[in-house]
Amino acid sequence: MATAPKTGGIHAPVQPSPELGAVVGNEKLPRSQVISKVWEYIKSNNLQNPENKREILADEKLKKVFGRDKVTMFEMNKYIAQHVKA
């Protein structure tokens, strides 16, 4: 029996807002991929606070998504959720 592709919840494709699209691209992506791509962006641009790795220091692109200069990795998903629609 083949398992159906995962298409609900975190696997449901979502459309990033233009602001989030500047970070993850404008294609529809599963939520899990959106989070992964944001993390890739954070790591490749060295945006984690060296003294507190849980804190993300937003650059210009991320400020447009988060609406602030820094967020914790736990708050991040809440701001990203406001920038995606199913």
Side-chain angles (χ1 to χ4, degrees):
M1 184 168 93
T3 46
K6 294 183 167 81
T7 54
I10 196 159
H11 301 285
V14 292
Q15 181 63 56
S17 68
E19 296 82 4
L20 184 58
V23 177
V24 302
N26 293 308
E27 305 278 307
K28 274 194 156 195
L29 292 166
R31 240 175 242 276
S32 54
Q33 281 278 297
V34 171
I35 303 296
S36 294
K37 284 183 177 271
V38 170
W39 271 111
E40 278 171 35
Y41 180 83
I42 289 166
K43 289 186 171 137
S44 65
N45 289 285
N46 254 341
L47 299 175
Q48 279 177 287
N49 180 343
E51 281 121 53
N52 178 359
K53 292 280 194 195
R54 288 182 301 193
E55 201 168 63
I56 288 112
L57 308 171
D59 63 0
E60 285 311 305
K61 286 182 179 178
L62 285 178
K63 271 184 199 161
K64 290 178 181 154
V65 176
F66 299 151
R68 54 191 54 205
D69 293 337
K70 58 185 177 188
V71 298
T72 67
M73 60 204 304
F74 307 108
E75 294 172 317
M76 186 174 85
N77 293 344
K78 176 176 74 177
Y79 295 112
I80 291 171
Q82 295 166 357
H83 283 271
V84 294
K85 51 180 183 279

